[in-house]
Every structure is written in structure tokens, then in C-alpha cells.
Amino acid sequence: MSLDAIAIASDHAGVEVKTEITSLLRGQGHDVVDLGTNGPESVDYPDFANAMAAALKDGRAGRGILICGTGIGISIAANRHRHVRAARCCDSTDARLARQHNDANVLVLGSRTAGWETARDAVLAFLGTEFEGGRHMRRVEKMS
Ligand code: RB5
């Protein structure tokens, strides 16, 4: 159990991107908790959003990355959980601002909409950016 750990999950549409991101992060020395799915068989993205919410709640990870075809379904499902602030990001600017202003704890990517380099840059921006706090803290608190 470590809040430094990063949980990752996807549906079948996001498996390949999940594999790429997992190897990138493990190569950088991060502790990555893989919540599945791990094959091409069709699955339902809410199940993986729920698995992410559980991993964040019980402290197996402090941050997460979710991937589905567009990133839309899995972000809607993840944000049903009050402790999850999942931000669907199209690029590294979105990812940086999602951390600085929204204290997003889950980055969401669309495997069918973001190319690999864009996705990689978003991951690096998300993990490398701190929440700015201040006026943004008040707004984030109003959501929980
Ligand atoms: C799966 O085909 C697809 O619907 C899913 O990955 C996602 O894009 C839903 O929002």
C-alpha cells in the first residue's frame, strides 16, 4: 500500500496504451498497480472505473490513469465517486492544468483519439505537476 503508487486501468479499447504507459512508468521507477483489463476481450468500462475508485479509496495508490476508446465513458463512471476527480485530457496542457487548478487525482485518456506521443506527454505532465492550492483549494473543496 503506497500513496506514491500509480494505479492504471482500461477497457479493451485502451489495453495497448495501458501497456505502453505501464512500461514507461515502470522504466522510470514508479510503482504501478495494474487493475486490468489485460486482454482484447470486450469488457465494460464502468467496472474498471470502479476498480480505480476502490484502489484510491483503500490507499493502494494515490493517483490513477484510466483509458478507454474516447476517455469519455470511463471518466463519467469514475466521477460518480465523490473522492475521484478524473480529468479527461487531450494533451499535456489539459493535464498540467487539471493538476494545477483541479487537483485531479485521475488522468483519463482516449486511446482512439490521442496519439501515443500526445498521451505520453499528458502522462508526464500529469505526474510532474503539483496542485497550486490557494483559490483553487476552495473550489475543489466545494466539490467534495
Ligand atoms: C468501447 O468500444 C468504447 O465504447 C469505450 O472504450 C469508450 O470509448 C466509451 O466511452
Side-chain angles (χ1 to χ4, degrees):
M1 216 156 87
S2 161
L3 290 182
D4 287 338
I6 300 157
I8 191 164
S10 74
D11 71 356
H12 54 285
V15 161
E16 287 172 19
V17 173
K18 179 168 76 63
T19 302
E20 295 281 349
I21 294 172
T22 301
S23 1
L24 170 74
L25 296 182
R26 286 191 174 141
Q28 291 185 338
H30 289 288
D31 179 8
V32 180
V33 179
D34 186 349
L35 302 171
T37 189
N38 287 306
E41 299 78 24
S42 182
V43 293
D44 299 331
Y45 57 79
D47 296 336
F48 295 89
N50 293 342
M52 175 63 69
L56 296 175
K57 187 156 229 169
D58 67 23
R60 270 176 288 154
R63 295 170 290 181
I65 299 170
L66 286 172
I67 309 131
C68 72
T70 58
I72 295 172
I74 209 162
S75 63
I76 293 171
N79 281 314
R80 302 258 163 164
H81 298 269
R82 192 168 273 270
H83 64 290
V84 173
R85 290 179 302 282
R88 176 185 180 258
C89 295
C90 296
D91 57 30
S92 59
T93 305
D94 282 350
R96 174 175 58 78
L97 288 167
R99 288 289 310 129
Q100 288 178 333
H101 290 192
N102 312 115
D103 199 19
N105 54 4
V106 177
L107 169 70
V108 187
L109 297 167
S111 61
R112 292 173 179 156
T113 56
W116 165 242
E117 293 204 13
T118 302
R120 182 200 58 202
D121 289 351
V123 167
L124 297 178
F126 181 78
L127 296 178
T129 306
E130 295 297 323
F131 178 45
E132 279 181 2
R135 69 188 188 283
H136 302 297
M137 178 70 84
R138 182 179 68 248
R139 295 160 185 165
V140 168
E141 282 172 353
K142 284 188 177 185
M143 292 191 280
S144 53

